[in-house]
Structure formats: structure tokens, C-alpha cells
Amino acid sequence: MKLEQAAKQLEALGNPTRLKLYRTLVRAGETGRPVGYLQDALGIAASTLSHHLHRLILTGLVTQERQATTLICRANYPVMNDLLGFLADECCADAACGLAVGEAAA
């Protein structure tokens, strides 16, 4: 994953409403949630929900699918896993190898 893409995704998640929306979709699993359910669960206006969903869709974190008259939203798990991997890939990369936490400070 490129730094710019990760930054855009993290920026999208930096809004409390979008983060709550995204966490709701992550909890929903692969079946996702209808837009109406999300609006009720979050207690926000349809236009506000649409704005927040659009930002998450643009970054690839969320997908939408129309099923007859219902719009289903889903967390895009491969993209989420890529972002988590990007954040964790270099965890402790610059830490002293083989030293316990207490030993490094001594």
C-alpha cells in the first residue's frame, strides 16, 4: 500500500461519525447493512449519511450494492486488512533487536 492511499483512508476514518459508521459496517460482516438501518442506528439525516458513505467509498473502505430497491453497504475487508498491515508492517523495526524493554533503557 502506498503512503498516500493510507493517509486518505486514515483521514476518512478521522471523523467520529465516519468512524462509527465504519465500525458498524465492520461488525455487520460480509452481509453488510442497508442504508436505512445505518441511518437509524447512527441517528443521522439521510443526506449526512450519504456524505459520509461517499467519503468512505472513495477511499475503498466501503462498497455498495443495490439489491432491488435496497442499497447495501459493506466494509471492504481486503482494503481494511491492507491498511492494518501497512500500519503494522514496520512495528518495532527500529527497536534494538533481542533486548528486553527494561534492558534497552539501561
Side-chain angles (χ1 to χ4, degrees):
M1 171 175 282
K2 293 186 178 182
L3 181 65
E4 294 80 18
Q5 180 64 22
K8 287 178 184 178
Q9 291 172 345
L10 291 170
E11 179 183 5
L13 294 173
N15 175 281
T17 302
R18 279 194 291 276
L19 183 56
K20 188 174 180 181
L21 168 59
Y22 189 67
R23 291 186 73 197
T24 300
L25 291 173
V26 169
R27 290 176 58 101
E30 294 290 338
T31 58
R33 291 283 186 242
V35 170
Y37 173 91
L38 295 170
Q39 185 179 352
D40 291 342
L42 298 175
I44 59 178
S47 60
T48 303
L49 177 61
S50 177
H51 163 75
H52 289 302
L53 279 171
H54 181 69
R55 290 288 306 271
L56 293 170
I57 291 166
L58 284 177
T59 62
L61 289 166
V62 170
T63 63
Q64 283 185 333
E65 175 189 359
R66 182 161 299 280
Q67 293 180 357
T69 60
T70 305
L71 195 57
I72 304 295
C73 299
R74 294 183 181 88
N76 188 340
Y77 292 101
V79 171
M80 179 186 76
N81 289 331
D82 286 347
L83 179 59
L84 292 172
F86 175 82
L87 293 173
D89 275 349
E90 296 187 32
C91 179
C92 306
D94 293 335
C97 294
L99 295 179
V101 174
E103 294 174 15

